[in-house]
Amino acid sequence: MKPLTKPLTPAGRRGRKVLKRFLYAQLALRQGFMIAIGREQPLVNFTVEADPPSVYFVYRIRAEVVDELGERLGLPAHLRPAPIRCLRDDEPEYLITLNVYRVSGLANGIRAEWSLFVGDTSGTARYLVFDARSSQTSMDPIAIITRASPVVHERRGSTIETRVGGGPTAFVSRIEMPPGDAAPRVHPAAEWATANDYIYWGNGICDRTYYDAGMIDPKQRAVPASHVTINDGTAWADLVETEPVHVLVFEEAIELVISPWENLDRIER
């Protein structure tokens, strides 16, 4: 048996370019038609940019709020808060996160998302976004059109400044990244990453997400509380303890492919 090797000539390269473009153009046309008639799901790129870095503010939900949280947020009956580990050495807890990041692809601009972790019908912990803000007009399955709102997230040297909203009801933070290993590299728990497989919204619709090592094994640092200043005037501040459990800063981009509103055709009526 001969090995499957052969020098690539200039003519061979040109021919393969034409074949590649024609073949995948036809597949793209077919996929577009199948999506239009509801036989396939769309898949679109969604990139969490590296600069400014994506930041997670991870909060513990106040114990007296947990049992009433589903009703308070108006969640579907089958989705209720579920405990989860954030980092490998953590114990499972009821958590809410605020994730602020710059995105390109399916959406663009700076986004801020408040999420909690819920158990779906399989008992697996999943994200549920209950508030989303964007610096540019976007879409979501709740309001359909996410109107642009004040969301600022910038890095200047070693300082990361964030503002979501305006006036006394804004979330405002300032992170001073310490030098060297003073902000240690940390590793997410496995369930923290896989919670992203299905990202739910408050009406039960979910996005199906496929991601790379930037989510499974990200380069991220935990910033000590002494280097973080937060002033939270949002309506969600009374759901959580005052100090975050973790402030996580990602050092690299995260590449995702998303099937938006993936369960819309089979969602319970």
Side-chain angles (χ1 to χ4, degrees):
M1 180 181 292
K2 294 183 178 180
L4 191 61
T5 58
K6 185 178 180 179
L8 181 62
T9 65
R13 184 182 297 109
R14 289 193 296 270
R16 284 165 176 78
K17 283 183 179 180
V18 172
L19 177 61
K20 170 186 171 182
R21 293 170 184 173
F22 177 79
L23 174 62
Y24 288 102
Q26 299 308 305
L27 290 175
L29 290 172
R30 177 192 177 278
Q31 185 183 38
F33 174 74
M34 297 297 282
I35 291 170
I37 64 174
R39 298 290 298 276
E40 288 190 11
Q41 294 287 343
L43 295 171
V44 290
N45 293 330
F46 189 98
T47 300
V48 177
E49 304 286 355
D51 189 29
S54 173
V55 176
Y56 271 94
F57 301 90
V58 183
Y59 288 92
R60 184 181 296 111
I61 300 173
R62 289 166 45 208
E64 65 272 22
V65 172
V66 172
D67 290 340
E68 65 184 48
L69 193 55
E71 181 178 354
R72 198 163 162 181
L73 295 176
L75 303 184
H78 66 289
L79 297 175
R80 283 296 179 264
I84 191 171
R85 293 184 304 151
C86 175
L87 303 181
R88 291 178 186 174
D89 296 331
D90 289 349
E91 293 296 324
E93 297 186 280
Y94 292 96
L95 301 174
I96 280 177
T97 67
L98 170 58
N99 182 205
V100 190
Y101 58 95
R102 179 184 294 278
V103 64
S104 61
L106 175 61
N108 289 278
I110 304 295
R111 290 183 63 85
E113 295 174 349
W114 281 266
S115 305
L116 64 93
F117 294 87
V118 297
D120 65 7
T121 53
S122 70
T124 304
R126 305 296 188 192
Y127 273 97
L128 185 144
V129 180
F130 62 87
D131 189 358
R133 319 272 183 96
S134 176
S135 64
Q136 298 186 26
T137 301
S138 182
M139 293 183 67
D140 68 70
I142 305 294
I144 306 301
I145 300 299
T146 307
R147 298 186 181 278
S149 62
V151 185
V152 179
H153 185 56
E154 299 176 330
R155 174 167 61 181
R156 297 189 182 93
S158 61
T159 302
I160 303 170
E161 294 184 340
T162 302
R163 174 181 289 273
V164 185
T169 61
F171 175 94
V172 181
S173 75
R174 181 184 179 92
I175 300 172
E176 296 287 352
M177 292 297 296
D181 293 331
R185 286 249 176 92
V186 291
H187 302 282
E191 61 266 36
W192 179 267
T194 58
N196 287 271
D197 288 354
Y198 294 92
I199 300 177
Y200 283 87
W201 296 78
N203 57 6
I205 294 175
C206 73
D207 300 329
R208 179 72 169 96
T209 306
Y210 307 88
Y211 40 84
D212 67 359
M215 184 66 69
I216 293 291
D217 188 23
K219 290 185 177 179
Q220 62 178 2
R221 295 188 181 273
V223 182
S226 57
H227 287 70
V228 182
T229 303
I230 296 174
N231 184 0
D232 189 355
T234 68
W236 315 124
D238 68 345
L239 302 179
V240 297
E241 296 180 357
T242 304
E243 298 294 330
V245 180
H246 301 296
V247 176
L248 305 176
V249 177
F250 284 66
E251 297 182 309
E252 295 181 340
I254 305 172
E255 299 287 346
L256 306 104
V257 174
I258 291 181
S259 178
W261 310 1
E262 188 267 348
N263 66 337
L264 190 56
D265 293 335
R266 64 179 187 277
I267 196 168
E268 295 180 5
R269 293 173 173 82

